[in-house]
Amino acid sequence: MRGGVRISVFINTPSCPLPFALSPQTRTVLFSGLFHFHSKVSQTKKSANMSRKFFVGGNWKMNGDKKSLGELIQTLNSGKVDSNVEVVCGAPSIYLDFARSKLDAKFGVAAQNCYKVSKGAFTGEISPAMIKDCGVNWVILGHSERRHVFGESDELIGQKTAHALESGLGVIACIGEKLDEREGGITEKVVFAQTKVIADNVKDWSKVVLAYEPVWAIGTGKTASPQQAQEVHEKLRAWLKTNVSDAVANSVRIIYGGSVTGGTCKELASQKDVDGFLVGGASLKPEFIDIINAKA
């Protein structure tokens, strides 16, 4: 009671709010504590974001020959790239050895696919063991073109993920909704289901990068707005927190893919839950260096 006026605060419980009269001294201590708690939470979130090393993958897809890829590699090797960015180039399988031998050691190399077992009568497939034998340490799995052109199921992608990780490869695991799914309002349902199958097959999340690639933005020239990308990335991180752990949610890198260019990369990179890019067509051009340096 002060000057005839009763001062109360309401502390919400699951069942009901409870009123408590507080002295001025108690109020000062309480609100000071709340302020410091909020500051600590904000600092923790900022620290988690800063600890996630920016990751840029270039997916060359079924493009190039030794001449054109050799020229691209020369451009990358001689270019000035941000040393705080992890860069991995996804070469066609027949050029994995070539890419690894020509690219500077500061660049990683990824295969664009692999099978779920180490060897056998699987004509046309390659195994994680073969990929590693070329000195390559990454593989892209679950890309929308593997899902929708070649009919790979969530289950198969999960099995591939498990075997690749067990074999010591890092996995760039792709997820994303088609245009009709976004327009139908089921983006979250689709990407959460895809993420669950991947999560069920991961033991060591330090070897996994999640790539959110809205299918409607791949190779179409359409790019999700920075706000659209951030919204999905934030919800994916919340899903990981609820279904895996706080530590994984804070540490796993979630990158964006879908017509990323030198002109769109900086604003996308400024979003707090966008930890890099998986780049298609632009990774075959000199502007890939601008994309790598989007945070610089």
Side-chain angles (χ1 to χ4, degrees), residues 175-195 212-214 216 228 231-233 235-236:
I175 56 176
E177 82 284 6
K178 294 183 291 185
L179 181 60
D180 62 323
E181 292 166 338
R182 172 165 281 274
E183 291 177 341
I186 58 171
T187 293
E188 290 175 44
K189 178 181 177 181
V190 171
V191 298
F192 289 170
Q194 292 170 342
T195 305
Y212 167 61
E213 295 197 299
W216 49 272
Q228 286 174 318
E231 180 183 18
V232 177
H233 284 224
K235 288 177 178 177
L236 281 167

Side-chain angles (χ1 to χ4, degrees), residues 1-295:
M1 186 81 69
R2 186 177 181 184
V5 178
R6 187 180 186 87
I7 300 174
S8 302
V9 297
F10 290 85
I11 301 175
N12 288 317
T13 69
S15 54
C16 64
L18 300 176
F20 293 94
L22 302 177
S23 69
Q25 294 86 350
T26 303
R27 290 201 312 277
T28 300
V29 171
L30 174 63
F31 292 124
S32 175
L34 288 172
F35 173 78
H36 287 298
F37 174 75
H38 180 267
S39 297
K40 188 71 175 176
V41 169
S42 298
Q43 289 170 7
T44 300
K45 288 181 177 179
K46 185 176 181 181
S47 175
N49 178 263
M50 291 176 67
S51 69
R52 297 192 298 266
K53 188 172 186 178
F54 206 70
F55 185 102
V56 176
N59 183 6
W60 297 348
K61 305 191 180 184
M62 196 177 73
N63 291 299
D65 52 27
K66 284 187 177 180
K67 183 178 183 296
S68 62
L69 293 179
E71 290 169 354
L72 174 64
I73 288 169
Q74 281 187 333
T75 300
L76 292 173
N77 288 346
S78 62
K80 185 177 179 181
V81 298
D82 187 343
S83 60
N84 295 314
V85 178
E86 183 170 5
V87 182
V88 175
C89 296
S93 60
I94 199 165
Y95 295 132
L96 286 174
D97 211 358
F98 175 79
R100 182 61 286 167
S101 67
K102 298 293 185 182
L103 274 166
D104 281 354
K106 65 186 175 186
F107 298 110
V109 177
Q112 298 174 17
N113 188 32
C114 70
Y115 199 49
K116 63 180 180 179
V117 295
S118 60
K119 61 182 179 179
F122 303 103
T123 302
E125 291 290 343
I126 60 172
S127 70
M130 293 172 177
I131 293 167
K132 291 201 71 177
D133 195 39
C134 291
V136 172
N137 295 316
W138 287 91
V139 64
I140 301 169
L141 293 175
H143 193 279
S144 65
E145 289 149 10
R146 300 303 312 176
R147 294 176 185 271
H148 304 303
V149 177
F150 296 98
E152 292 188 4
S153 65
D154 286 347
E155 180 184 16
L156 177 58
I157 292 161
Q159 292 168 342
K160 289 182 174 188
T161 298
H163 182 59
L165 290 169
E166 288 164 4
S167 301
L169 288 178
V171 173
I172 302 168
C174 302
I175 56 176
E177 82 284 6
K178 294 183 291 185
L179 181 60
D180 62 323
E181 292 166 338
R182 172 165 281 274
E183 291 177 341
I186 58 171
T187 293
E188 290 175 44
K189 178 181 177 181
V190 171
V191 298
F192 289 170
Q194 292 170 342
T195 305
K196 182 180 187 307
V197 176
I198 291 164
D200 288 345
N201 288 281
V202 175
K203 295 177 182 176
D204 180 4
W205 281 91
S206 70
K207 303 281 286 183
V208 177
V209 172
L210 274 182
Y212 167 61
E213 295 197 299
V215 181
W216 49 272
I218 298 174
T220 62
K222 298 178 181 178
T223 307
S225 70
Q227 294 73 29
Q228 286 174 318
Q230 168 58 27
E231 180 183 18
V232 177
H233 284 224
E234 185 175 26
K235 288 177 178 177
L236 281 167
R237 209 171 295 286
W239 186 94
L240 289 168
K241 181 176 181 179
T242 300
N243 295 277
V244 183
S245 71
D246 282 3
V248 167
N250 287 331
S251 64
V252 74
R253 290 174 290 184
I254 306 175
I255 64 177
Y256 170 78
S259 298
V260 178
T261 67
T264 61
C265 62
K266 283 193 176 293
E267 193 175 359
L268 284 162
S270 71
Q271 305 302 305
K272 70 183 180 71
D273 287 300
V274 175
D275 302 315
F277 305 114
L278 184 56
V279 186
S283 69
L284 294 161
K285 303 173 184 176
E287 71 178 295
F288 187 51
I289 292 176
D290 298 328
I291 297 170
I292 293 170
N293 295 329
K295 294 281 278 189

